[in-house]
Amino acid sequence: VKALITHFEYHEPDIPYEVAWVDNDSGQDVFEVYQEFQFERVTFFRLNYGATHGINSLLNLCERSPYVMTMEEDWEWRQDNMAVPAVSMAIKVLRHDDFVAGVLFREELDYKADLSDWKQTIDGVEYRRHCMKPGSMGWGAWTNGAAIWKREVLDEIGKQDERWGDGAELEYAQRVGAKFCAAQVRLNEGCETTACNSAAKHIGESAPGKLERSPGWERHLDGFT
């Protein structure tokens, strides 16, 4: 949170923004964090209802915003790209390309996606579409991680299905990818991948690959354990 607010205040001060925070039962420490930062919108849950419920709650908090940034707790704004106006560049792409639902700020495994050639907005921002690859699991056009999305597209796709528990992100990615692509912006001249064009880095552990139900949910989908 601190790195992202620093980026906005010092490097993209012309962008109006609000910080929304959803917490799933992190304990008493949440009040120390709340006092440290100026959160405009917060929701604290006394039970951990899972990441999917958290994402849906976050989007409810941001209903009046034309764009929504998603930043799970294990993503951090990169210091080496701190001065790059990545958010402004991303918004220009979102305004330019109707087929792009969002812009990825995170590093991605590019081989999992169907990548277009590099394109350019009328403002000169270089980007390429990052789409769901035909025949793949469904990744490419959506992430719960560091990215910015068109609010109108999220409204069209609808909420993530909480019955899927931890598998909801992939199911949602398939729904987004069926209609839209994401995009990646060229933040550094000559860079061809999200490894050097990412504005955020992953500081947590990767998912183990086993899909589990979110806490508090009973089984309701056949074949899902």
Side-chain angles (χ1 to χ4, degrees):
V1 175
K2 181 180 293 186
L4 188 55
I5 291 177
T6 298
H7 171 79
F8 274 112
E9 294 298 320
Y10 289 95
H11 303 293
E12 300 199 71
D14 294 333
I15 297 180
Y17 71 93
E18 292 182 333
V19 180
W21 179 29
V22 175
D23 182 84
N24 275 319
D25 187 31
S26 293
Q28 293 299 314
D29 291 345
V30 298
F31 296 106
E32 295 181 12
V33 176
Y34 177 72
Q35 291 172 357
E36 182 178 356
F37 301 103
Q38 295 180 353
F39 293 102
E40 282 79 14
R41 299 174 180 273
V42 296
T43 298
F44 295 153
F45 291 106
R46 293 183 178 181
L47 294 175
N48 183 356
Y49 292 106
T52 305
H53 183 269
I55 285 288
N56 285 339
S57 299
L58 175 69
L59 297 181
N60 287 337
L61 290 178
C62 302
E63 285 184 334
R64 67 181 186 180
S65 306
Y67 305 102
V68 178
M69 285 183 63
T70 50
M71 286 283 289
E72 292 176 308
E73 81 287 350
D74 56 353
W75 288 90
E76 183 177 69
W77 212 250
R78 288 175 49 168
Q79 294 294 325
D80 55 345
N81 277 334
M82 180 67 75
V84 179
V87 180
S88 300
M89 296 169 73
I91 290 175
K92 289 177 180 178
V93 171
L94 295 177
R95 290 173 174 170
H96 174 81
D97 196 327
D98 292 337
F99 198 60
V100 170
V103 173
L104 307 174
F105 293 134
R106 58 171 289 174
E107 182 175 346
E108 283 281 356
L109 297 175
D110 293 321
Y111 68 86
K112 289 187 176 182
D114 189 5
L115 302 177
S116 74
D117 294 331
W118 287 98
K119 304 175 181 292
Q120 195 172 83
T121 70
I122 57 175
D123 305 283
V125 176
E126 289 186 277
Y127 74 99
R128 62 180 175 183
R129 291 176 177 172
H130 202 275
C131 308
M132 182 173 69
K133 184 179 292 186
S136 68
M137 287 182 63
W139 298 115
W142 172 264
T143 175
N144 285 351
I148 185 169
W149 306 97
K150 294 175 181 174
R151 175 77 218 194
E152 61 184 7
V153 169
L154 301 184
D155 290 339
E156 177 180 342
I157 301 299
K159 295 292 193 297
Q160 294 192 18
D161 190 342
E162 296 178 33
R163 295 174 301 171
W164 281 99
D166 291 348
E169 183 180 4
L170 175 57
E171 189 273 338
Y172 194 74
Q174 294 169 348
R175 278 193 275 151
V176 176
K179 291 186 174 183
F180 300 97
C181 292
Q184 55 178 256
V185 172
R186 198 197 296 272
L187 300 184
N188 293 293
E189 185 177 355
C191 175
E192 294 294 326
T193 70
T194 53
C196 48
N197 282 321
S198 59
K201 64 179 179 179
H202 194 214
I203 58 174
E205 296 182 2
S206 298
K210 180 182 178 182
L211 300 181
E212 299 177 352
R213 288 172 293 145
S214 297
W217 286 98
E218 299 298 329
R219 174 177 180 173
H220 2 195
L221 296 181
D222 293 337
F224 191 78
T225 58

